[in-house]
Structures are given as C-alpha cells and as structure tokens.
Amino acid sequence: MNLENLCNIASSCRSCPLHESKTHTVFGEGPEDARIMLIGEAPGKNEDETGRPFIGSSGKLLTDLISGAGLNRDDIYITSIVKCRPLNNRKPRKLEYTTCIDLYLKKQIEFINPDIIGLLGNSAIYALIGKNNIKQIHGNIYPVDGRKYMALFHPAAALYSRILLPQLVEDMIQLKKTAEF
Ligand code: URA
C-alpha cells in the first residue's frame, strides 16, 4: 500500500454519507516527502469540481501565506479532515470526520511523516488534537502521538475577518521555522 493506492481507494469510498453528493474526492496533494503538512476542514465548491485542495479564494490566500513565509506551496502536502464536500459547505459531522481520518488521514500522515502538521481552523484542530479555543491557542505547538501539530486560523476566517490576517502570517512563519532544524 502506498499513497497512490490509498488515493484510488478514497476515490470510490462509500464509508460515510458525504460520497452521495460529491463530484470529486479531494484526497490531497503535495510531495510524499513533504516536511510540512497542512490540514483544512473540507473541500468547498471549487475543490469538489476539480478534485484539488484549496484552490478557491481561501486557497489563493493560503498560497500567498505560504509564499509570504518563504515557502513554496509545491513543497507542502495539503489536505483536509474529510475528502468529500459537505453540501452547502456545512461543517463535517463527527461520524464523517472520524471515519475519514481513520481510513485516510492517519495513513497519509504515516506515509508522509512530516516534521510539523499545521491544522487550519477549528474543525481540524478539534478533530486532531481535541482543542477548541483557537483565538487563544493559535501559534502553539502540541505534541500528540509522537507528532507535532500547530494550530492556525483557517484562511477563510482571515478573509472574513481581516484583523486575523497578521496573526495568520506570523503563525505561518513560525510553522516554517519549526520545520527547519
Ligand atoms: N477549505 C478547506 O478546509 N479545504 C479545502 O480544500 C478548501 C477549503
């Protein structure tokens, strides 16, 4: 089993109700030896249409944040806690994200074995490290099961509330520093 096999399996997954309404599975993209992994909430409309993660407006901001921190998007593995778009962009339900994390995300993390995992937004933060209060914990690093996770705002939150943008810029720079050793 490798990442490509897992991606093929995910493309015909029927393990939760999200497959019923999706167009494409958005498994994730980036190099298998990426030192940094970023995990968002769920594919949106543009991602569902194309099968690629973070290519809509929050994706454009994410790409800018990555470049602003002196990184290249092509060097980062980017995915989300669920691989299929929830209708009307509702938040993924617990059964949906726990199923998807167990079947796919945990294995993606094992294959890629990144130095640091950036969790973008409340949904990814809660699903992976069980924390809630992003305003207080963003920028912090949490060791969980032998991996390092950093909590960050979701780029969509910074599009909605521009006041968060400088904090997201700073956190992305810290994320880069953490991956350098
Ligand atoms: N938001 C996410 O969390 N993931 C995507 O792929 C796009 C938007």
Side-chain angles (χ1 to χ4, degrees), residues 3 33 48 52 72 75 79 82 107-108 114-115 118 130 139 157 164:
L3 211 50
D33 61 351
D48 177 64
R52 297 191 52 212
N72 187 341
D75 294 333
T79 187
V82 296
K107 292 175 185 146
Q108 285 172 294
D115 296 331
L164 301 178

Side-chain angles (χ1 to χ4, degrees), residues 101-175:
I101 289 172
D102 282 346
L103 287 175
Y104 305 112
L105 186 60
K106 280 188 180 163
K107 292 175 185 146
Q108 285 172 294
I109 294 172
E110 273 172 42
F111 282 133
I112 293 158
N113 193 24
D115 296 331
I116 179 84
I117 301 170
L119 301 175
L120 302 171
N122 279 313
S123 296
I125 294 168
Y126 184 72
L128 287 156
I129 60 171
K131 303 212 174 280
N132 270 314
N133 46 345
I134 190 167
K135 290 211 164 141
Q136 283 162 31
I137 68 160
H138 74 89
N140 292 355
I141 293 173
Y142 295 93
V144 176
D145 294 335
R147 305 239 166 241
K148 276 192 266 174
Y149 292 90
M150 180 187 274
L152 294 101
F153 288 108
H154 193 287
L159 284 176
Y160 184 75
S161 181
R162 283 273 157 185
I163 198 165
L164 301 178
L165 193 54
Q167 300 173 51
L168 191 46
V169 169
E170 178 56 30
D171 291 346
M172 197 60 79
I173 292 167
Q174 286 309 319
L175 186 85

Side-chain angles (χ1 to χ4, degrees), residues 26 39-44 47 52-56 58-59 78-82 120 154 156:
V26 185
I39 303 176
E41 177 179 289
E47 292 79 15
R52 297 191 52 212
F54 280 99
I55 54 147
S58 17
I78 302 177
T79 187
S80 296
I81 55 169
V82 296
L120 302 171
H154 193 287

